[in-house]
Amino acid sequence: MSLRPDLAIIAANVAAGSRVLDVGCGDGALMAALRDTRQVDARGLELDAGDVAAAVGRGLSVVQGDADTDLSDYPDGSFDYAILSQTLQTTRRPDMVLENLLRIGKHAFVSFPNFAHWRVRASLLFGGRMPVTRLLPIAWYATPNIHHVTIDDFRALVAERGIMIEGSWFLSGDQHCGSAMANLFAEHAVFLLRR
């Protein structure tokens, strides 16, 4: 089974034998890969009941919960890594979710679609409409995305909060692209953070 490109980056950079909490874990694809290839003790939190059932069906430890309200139940420093992939922009308070990730985990991986990508900008500029792309495939009125975050917005947030960026990866399609002008050319970003 191949992972989504952002998940493959995360999987390649989680230390073997770590304790991991995957917040918004979906059907558990990343957790299963980490368990099977890196011997990681992976736990998951997922809002969608169908995805929880799919993950549990893979033999994974996943509970149904909401990143906005349920992360406060986890003790400080419970995990080596807290992971939030393609979920930050769907939360009500991304800043508080980020704070909780870094309270729960020694490190946090965060990945999100970049709403400042040139195709998004061009769609708004020339078409006057919110874009529908491969990474943003749902029309504006049905999308779970409630915050339109850009790479530069995220960098500013972590700087304001005194959060250290340990690593960053940028994707255009399924290919890596450089950090220079990533806010314009990257469709997706992955950050590794710590306090």
Side-chain angles (χ1 to χ4, degrees):
M1 171 185 69
S2 73
L3 292 172
R4 234 178 34 220
D6 64 313
L7 297 181
I9 289 168
I10 294 169
N13 288 282
V14 168
S18 298
R19 293 169 297 127
V20 170
L21 176 64
D22 189 356
V23 180
C25 64
D27 66 3
L30 175 61
M31 293 172 60
L34 289 170
R35 175 195 63 195
D36 298 344
T37 64
R38 315 278 291 173
Q39 294 69 51
V40 164
D41 177 9
R43 311 296 165 141
L45 180 71
E46 173 57 42
L47 187 60
D48 181 87
D51 281 341
V52 172
V56 170
R58 291 178 173 207
L60 299 167
S61 177
V62 176
V63 296
Q64 188 171 12
D66 186 330
D68 278 305
T69 58
D70 297 330
L71 291 179
S72 60
D73 295 336
Y74 289 89
D76 294 358
S78 305
F79 296 92
D80 298 307
Y81 297 91
I83 299 169
L84 190 72
S85 61
Q86 292 194 20
T87 304
L88 183 72
Q89 73 281 359
T90 69
T91 62
R92 288 185 298 278
R93 286 295 308 269
D95 56 335
M96 298 309 298
V97 170
L98 186 59
E99 291 290 342
N100 269 316
L101 289 178
L102 289 164
R103 181 186 59 75
I104 295 166
K106 296 174 187 167
H107 307 273
F109 276 102
V110 178
S111 76
F112 55 88
N114 176 26
F115 286 87
H117 183 263
W118 71 267
R119 283 191 188 102
V120 174
R121 295 179 192 205
S123 180
L124 287 168
L125 180 63
F126 297 114
R129 299 186 63 191
M130 292 303 294
V132 175
T133 68
R134 185 176 66 87
L135 288 175
L136 301 169
I138 302 169
W140 68 270
Y141 52 85
T143 183
N145 299 320
I146 60 175
H147 295 287
H148 299 105
V149 63
T150 72
I151 291 168
D152 286 352
D153 286 328
F154 188 77
R155 286 176 171 152
L157 173 63
V158 298
E160 288 169 13
R161 299 288 173 122
I163 298 168
M164 303 297 298
I165 297 174
E166 289 188 302
S168 56
W169 300 263
F170 305 103
L171 297 163
S172 180
D174 296 341
Q175 303 298 315
H176 288 266
C177 62
S179 61
M181 305 220 20
N183 200 51
L184 181 61
F185 293 116
E187 291 178 275
H188 205 89
V190 180
F191 286 90
L192 174 58
L193 309 170
R194 69 172 172 82
R195 276 279 175 213

